[in-house]
Amino acid sequence: MQRLYRKRIVLGVGGGIAAYKSAELVRRLRDHGAEVRVVMTQGGREFITPLTLQALSGHPVHLDLLDPAAEAAMGHIELARWADLVLIAPATADLMARLAQGVANDLLTTVVLATNAPVALAPAMNQAMWADPATQANREQLLARGIRLFGPGSGSQACGDIGMGRMLEAEELARAAADCFETGMLTGKHLLITAGPTQENIDPVRYITNHSSGKMGFALAEAAAEAGARVTLVTGPVFLPTPDRVQRIDVVSARDMLAACEAAMPCDILIAAAAVADYRPEVVAPHKLKKDPSTGDGLLLQMVRNPDILATLAGRTDRPFCVGFAAETENLLEYAARKLRDKNLDLIVANDVANPSIGFNSEDNAVSVIDRQQHETRFGQASKGHIARALVAFIAERYKES
Ligand code: PMT
């Protein structure tokens, strides 16, 4: 179940007897490649020890909202931003009621309010509590707000009753969590995505490149595959694993990248997240350059323009829906809008790379998307995985309207 690979899951553990199953759930999620951070309510701690879940998740368990030491390590806002999914298992009747009302009186309910990630609950309670009109009204309200419910199942209960209210088994919950990452928005579409830097050789041992890590482009490829697209990812030299169900083509220089993209055409949507070198040395020295006393302390390299991959593909007769990125350190929106026009794009993603916490080689990003009518849509700071899923959803919408 590759869909959980490298997904960040905050597992909330409420105070119900089914909390013993949460230990197995942590193991299953991790077996499928997810990273898990556990948040326990006061009630949850009465049923299973934080130490057990710490040992199984490999990380300290988060317990209190007002604990300065815990907040300094990874506070509630960071946890909320970190998560790709917040899964609460077991979700008691009390937790469902508090979440339905938007109450934030402990760490778990606060994380739920603060996160942009999908939230899913695995209800677990006595059958009469589940059937109670108050719980059913809360259930309706949670569903209306987009919160997912996994189960409950039916059967014999710890209290001796038989009926609805059993928490689903760990493997069923892991599968349901994986399904959260499938959207189907781009089923049947071919997406071509460029990522990473290019390297332009100076001689056999030296090259010119930039700080792109490929994280943004790879996250987009993963999100596009989750949306059901066939994805071709053309990437410069990076140290990242290939996302599941993505066809990866490794290249080195800008000219290699253009050739690989042209070979991958036609496509429905092109997303150019690569940081392509605009120039390359005109001549690549056949042997390692030696210090030359006749040039003093200097070295002059004659550079020539590289082809513009995005503009080239946007100029073809079988032109795809074209989305560019603009990495800028000043006049972000103005320069991005100019690139949208000059390269004949449908959308451009403006990326402020002057801020080291977003942009090149960071875990997070924050971007604005500009369309041909100069409308700006802002995507606030979040992990590149989050941003990628939000961007893919946005691009899919705009593509359908085009
Ligand atoms: O890889 P990460 O570390 O995760 O960082 C992400 C990122 C900052 C690299 C990425 O989000 C980003 O902003 N990529 C575009 C960087 C860039 O080089 O932008 P640009 O303004 O130079 O180019 C504008 C657009 O034209 C880009 O879509 C670029 O891919 C494309 N281009 C540029 C030059 C060229 N010769 N061919 C191109 O296709």
Side-chain angles (χ1 to χ4, degrees):
M1 211 163 21
Q2 283 280 323
R3 284 168 298 166
L4 286 177
Y5 180 66
R6 287 194 300 132
K7 294 297 182 314
R8 298 157 157 192
I9 297 180
V10 167
L11 176 64
V13 178
I17 182 65
Y20 77 91
K21 293 187 189 172
S22 309
E24 180 63 13
L25 178 56
V26 174
R27 289 193 51 188
R28 295 296 172 100
L29 292 170
R30 292 196 72 197
D31 286 350
H32 292 303
E35 275 186 67
V36 181
R37 299 289 162 91
V38 178
V39 177
M40 298 183 82
T41 65
Q42 182 68 48
R45 274 172 263 171
E46 304 293 334
F47 288 92
I48 183 170
T49 69
L51 195 58
T52 304
L53 296 177
Q54 172 171 324
L56 291 171
S57 68
H59 293 281
V61 170
H62 302 262
L63 300 171
D64 295 311
L65 181 58
L66 303 175
D67 174 352
E71 282 288 298
M74 195 184 204
H76 60 285
I77 298 294
E78 278 138 305
L79 262 176
R81 278 192 189 141
W82 178 86
D84 292 320
L85 170 70
V86 177
L87 169 59
I88 302 181
T92 59
D94 171 65
L95 251 176
M96 285 180 64
R98 285 191 286 141
L99 292 169
Q101 294 306 313
V103 172
N105 60 353
D106 64 7
L107 179 60
L108 182 55
T109 48
T110 307
V111 167
V112 169
L113 273 196
T115 194
N116 289 327
V119 176
L121 310 182
M125 64 195 74
N126 165 268
Q127 52 84 23
M129 293 172 76
W130 175 253
D132 190 275
T135 304
Q136 289 305 308
N138 291 332
R139 169 182 168 275
E140 292 296 325
Q141 200 157 342
L142 291 165
L143 288 173
R145 289 220 311 273
I147 292 180
R148 298 157 207 234
L149 261 64
F150 299 164
S154 178
S156 63
Q157 301 197 299
C159 55
D161 282 1
I162 295 176
M164 288 288 282
R166 277 173 64 93
M167 187 166 96
L168 297 186
E169 299 304 319
E171 188 57 27
E172 291 175 288
L173 289 176
R175 284 190 182 284
D179 288 344
C180 290
F181 297 102
E182 283 291 343
T183 67
M185 284 177 298
L186 290 170
T187 302
K189 301 297 167 200
H190 178 206
L191 262 75
L192 175 58
I193 298 177
T194 67
T198 61
Q199 287 178 0
E200 309 298 331
N201 285 342
I202 296 171
D203 67 18
V205 298
R206 302 183 182 93
Y207 53 80
I208 293 170
T209 190
N210 58 62
H211 294 295
S212 171
S213 62
K215 288 175 193 164
M216 191 68 241
F218 275 58
L220 286 161
E222 188 168 343
E226 284 168 8
R230 173 165 77 86
V231 181
T232 307
L233 173 65
V234 179
T235 178
V238 296
F239 301 95
L240 295 173
T242 309
D244 191 27
R245 296 171 291 175
V246 166
Q247 190 201 352
R248 171 177 176 163
I249 300 168
D250 287 287
V251 297
V252 176
S253 71
R255 286 183 296 175
D256 297 341
M257 189 173 271
L258 174 61
C261 286
E262 285 180 323
M265 289 288 285
C267 70
D268 299 289
I269 300 176
L270 165 68
I271 307 179
V276 184
D278 287 321
Y279 294 89
R280 68 178 184 277
E282 185 169 28
V283 177
V284 179
H287 299 289
K288 183 180 169 189
L289 290 176
K290 296 305 209 188
K291 289 182 216 67
D292 181 355
S294 70
T295 61
D297 286 336
L299 170 70
L300 275 181
L301 275 181
Q302 182 67 35
M303 306 283 280
V304 292
R305 281 293 290 270
N306 265 328
D308 192 305
I309 300 158
L310 181 53
T312 304
L313 298 182
R316 285 172 59 125
T317 48
D318 60 353
R319 176 187 186 280
F321 185 86
C322 291
V323 183
F325 269 70
E328 304 291 350
T329 54
E330 57 179 350
N331 303 329
L332 179 64
L333 298 179
E334 181 194 333
Y335 289 167
R338 192 180 301 168
K339 282 179 183 162
L340 175 96
R341 267 196 317 276
D342 292 350
K343 299 192 187 211
N344 183 27
L345 308 179
D346 297 283
L347 297 171
I348 192 147
V349 183
N351 209 156
D352 178 1
V353 290
N355 178 350
S357 65
I358 56 176
F360 283 106
N361 199 20
S362 54
E363 293 305 314
D364 283 0
N365 209 350
V367 298
S368 291
V369 181
I370 302 171
D371 64 18
R372 284 172 182 254
Q373 286 73 42
Q374 305 286 309
H375 291 141
E376 181 196 341
T377 307
R378 177 105 192 111
F379 295 83
Q381 183 165 344
S383 72
K384 283 183 174 166
H386 269 308
I387 296 279
R389 278 191 286 279
L391 283 177
V392 163
F394 184 84
I395 291 166
E397 276 299 312
R398 292 304 185 95
Y399 167 74
K400 280 185 191 139
E401 290 163 14
S402 68

